[in-house]
Amino acid sequence: MQKLKLVVVGNGMAGMRTVEELLKIAPDIYDITVFGDEPYPNYNRIMLSPVLANEQTIDDIILNSREWYAANNIKLHTGARINKIDRKNRVVYAENGTSAEYDRLLLATGSKPFMPPIPGKELDGVQGYRDIKDTNDMMDAAKKYKHAVVIGGGLLGLEAANGLKIQGMDVTVVHRNEWLLEKQLDKTAGKMLQKNLEAKGLNFLLEKNTELINGNQDGRVSSVRFTDGLEITADLVIMTVGIRPNFTLAESAGIHCNKGIVVNDTMQTYDPRIYAVGECVAHRGISYGLVAPLFEMAKVCATHLANFGIGLYKGSVTSTKLKVTGIDLFSAGDFSSNEDDGREEIVLHDAVGGVYKKLIIKNDKIIGGVLYGDTTDGSWYFQMLRDGKPIHEIRDHLMFGQDSLGNTGHLGQNKAAAMTNEMEVCGCNGVCKGTIVKAIQDQGLFTIDDVKKQTKAGSSCGSCVGLVEQILASTLGGGYAPPSTSKAVCGCTEKNHEEVRAEIRTHKYLNIPDAMKGMGWRTPNGCATCRPALNYYLLSTWPHEAKDDPQSRFINERVHANIQKDGTYSVIPRMYGGVTTANQLRKIADVADKYAVPMVKVTGGQRIDLLGVKKEDLVDMWADLDMPSGYAYGKSIRTVKTCVGSEFCRFGTQNSTQLGIDIEKAFDHMWAPHKVKFAVSGCPRNCAESGIKDVGIIGVDSGWEIYVGGNGGIKTEAAQFLCKVKTAEEVLEYSGAFIQIYREEARYLDRTVHWIERVGLEYVKQRVLEDADCRKAAYERLLYALQGAVEPWGERVKNKALSKQYEIIAV
Amino acid sequence: MSNWVKVAPLEDIPQLGARVVRSKEIEIGVFRLQDDRIYAVNNKCPHKGGPLSEGIVYGDKIACPLHSWKISLVDGQVEEPDVGETACFKTKIEDGIVYLELKD
Ligand code: SRM
Ligand SMILES: Cc1cc2nc3c(=O)[nH]c(=O)nc-3n(C[C@H](O)[C@H](O)[C@H](O)COP(=O)(O)OP(=O)(O)OC[C@H]3O[C@@H](n4cnc5c(N)ncnc54)[C@H](O)[C@@H]3O)c2cc1C
Ligand code: SF4
Ligand code: FES
């Protein structure tokens, strides 16, 4: 088939990100040609500031080398400015005489520094700060001249000023407003920032309007004069008063523009063959000047270029950081104070310690914030802001940061900055901080997924993802945007977990192929991430009706044993409540002898583990054992740990052992989003460790206390108190209802703690405690789902067809 | 000299699943894709020797059960950013029976 022709105008960050996204999902449908008027391949414009500050070199910041274009069969024309689009014949023409035909055209022409109409602005030595050439010009000027004036005290201006100072110049920043960064900071933070920058040797002139730039006889700038009459010496003037979307080309081709190239939510211009992304566009009236929104646009645009016809760009909330080493500043959202409309402010100000934090809250949600001096919680606040997360439960601690909440959430500790390069970040894959930082810089990584892919850090148990995120944020500065928590299930679909669950329910999908077809899966049969999730969602939504697909289960659940590093398996029989008998122990001992089991071990969950069993021996061994499966391998009910309790213990107030047995029997065979562990202790001494279980139950004189959302694993989480009930029947009903709602609503691979983290304990209480009908109905649904469940080991002992997969074919 | 050995009837290998063939020298995973194409590779993951036959089959790839490396069943190549390769073996189906060619 003849490939379509895609032409990209603008070889910058947004355009090339779109191409990268496109290559990922549809590598073969286009012949791609790229025109860029700069003489370089795509580079990381953000990093021009570190280059000017001598922290990096131009070579460090190239994102896509010429070899990359060649390897992806992309025709690259550098130093080639497009000055005409012939929409009728679908051809673009470059100033240097080159031309190219297109079927689809992508405009990504970025923006230009705004040069205000001040007399003298055309003199030598008056320039903007936008590209490599500007940066080189500044560095050259610094070698020859002394006095630099930066007009405009915004982010770009301050980074330029800081860099020029480091290049050895005397720098004065001129700003029209009363304080710096007035768009990002309130006055208090703005003044603190100014003080810190003054300490670094920068000079400031605030509330000044530039009237005139004077030149010398060589035509080079010599001084700058303000409206109040003050005049200062200047050999170099940098204009950083704003940027203007670069849409002249689009406009000259008759494409509708209004302060930017107007695009719809699918990133199409008024000519449907022509797309636009990046700083040059006006989307819903807004033009963005930061990379995070541009990358979101790129993703959406790529899906449409790939003909998937999915994905809408709905605008972005942005956050900013200032990339001046030694200064920590973060701001996001709407932070102006305006008490009339129900806004509340929380402010923490330590003038001596140089820390200032302000959060703006409206309707129980964070809508904006400024952090100065200590920005470690910036990503955390920003994430809550983007997700619109209710905050009343943590409001008391909000200001003191994520660490003050104890261990809630797997978002990691704020220690990235304090770590040395040799310190290990990812224990699973042995990746240290230096490796991650280097990968981010050398390979131009922007997202956690990129870092996971390239370095493997965070790709296994996930406990270090929070730390990786901080390293990413501190390495990238403002270029980092935390992912929203409602992301797609995997690369096979745009839909997130909640959307998938909802569609399975409304369309009543009963098997994976129908579900994938109905929801427009991009891949013929998914991947190792989405298939297990889909299988679980089908089974939990339509018990007894949906078809279980063993091939979509992880090996352990497929063969009902836990795979070991050498390909052997472990066998853990059920011992309800951790109680066993002499007879069971004898059987286990015999089996261990007969099959020469290399290790017999008592587990942390109070069961017995036979380790190192060959796959082909499993079925025979189960037949000899004649005990039920302990499900120690499944995303399922695991163990109910118990203590001795009132039957024997001198402190016991309740029969915890019996209740544990009853629970384990009642909920046996239960699949869940992740493993589910219970514990029952007979008194508050809590010998069964109920405080770190998904459901922990503690006997007290007058009944039972129920705790939920505990976790003893990767990150220890104490369970939270749910309620107190009188009888064992009530324990079953309340905890069963809790687990059922978790089964129906949590994302696959969420432990209970992660689910509660997201929906809030209030929500759980409301469904399980306050709404008795809801509780009873949920409990009923759980019992219905478990009705007639078949014990898997016995089933395989009986059924030859099922046991075939355990046989090895000898040749 | 070619050395074709009989594996099993096609229906004994589950779709999107695998069976293990063991000879004196080597263990081979024989995989069946959704469209009934059959591929065979050395049953040892290039990472730490995980038994590939026990992984999840999707498209024409296998995700290793131990640490989720993704390996192409067509050419045995490991998916980026990991690197490595596992040996491939020829297969054929005749009269509903799957055969595998062992190298000598
Ligand atoms: C056998 C056992 C260790 C032991 O010898 O004592 C064990 C062994 C494994 N644990 Fe565990 N865990 C065992 C008790 C625990 C406990 C303690 C407990 O259950 O009281 C915990 C902390 C409690 C908790 O889960 O909150 C625990 C937290 C984990 C985690 C982290 C879970 C988390 O959400 O943070 C994993 C990883 C996972 O599941 O993703 C894990 C995963 C594993 C796996 C399944 C790793 C794997 O996928 O192969 C290990 C299987 C080895 C095998 O086949 O025997 N194991 N593991 C324990 C079996 C308990 C049982 O009788 O069923
Ligand atoms: C010094 C500096 C620091 C920054 N720091 C940050 C930061 O910390 N965080 C952040 O989020 N953002 C930062 N930014 C902004 C960020 O770099 C931009 O948002 C981003 O680069 C915009 O991407 P784009 O693709 O839309 O435009 P660009 O990257 O500017 O790409 C547009 C390209 O198109 C070319 N072009 C234009 N017209 C034509 C034509 N007719 N023919 C051919 N080629 C053409 C241009 O030469 C340019 O190469 C910074 C910018 C600068 C200058
Ligand atoms: S802690 Fe658990 S997962 Fe880790 S090695 Fe021990 S048994 Fe395996
Ligand atoms: S052994 Fe296969 S991924 Fe590690």
Side-chain angles (χ1 to χ4, degrees), chain A residues 20 99 142 164 213 267 321 383 430 505 571 614 632 646 776:
Chain A
E20 285 179 12
S99 65
L164 289 170
I213 304 172
M267 306 318 295
K321 275 195 162 186
Q383 180 135 4
R505 183 168 296 283
V571 170
K614 292 195 213 67
S646 59
K776 290 196 160 59

Side-chain angles (χ1 to χ4, degrees), chain A residues 793-806:
Chain A
W793 290 358
E795 191 187 17
R796 280 157 182 73
V797 170
K798 274 195 233 111
N799 186 337
K800 270 256 162 286
L802 284 173
S803 61
K804 198 158 240 153
Q805 59 173 320
Y806 299 86

Side-chain angles (χ1 to χ4, degrees), chain A residues 328-367:
Chain A
D328 288 324
L329 179 156
F330 174 92
S331 109
D334 179 353
F335 59 87
S336 54
S337 357
N338 181 353
E339 270 128 54
D340 302 346
D341 64 351
R343 290 156 185 247
E344 305 146 34
E345 274 182 21
I346 309 182
V347 181
L348 183 151
H349 185 181
D350 173 359
V352 180
V355 174
Y356 176 80
K357 301 184 185 183
K358 174 153 133 184
L359 294 178
I360 310 292
I361 289 154
K362 189 173 167 182
N363 299 332
D364 196 29
K365 293 185 180 122
I366 299 181
I367 60 165

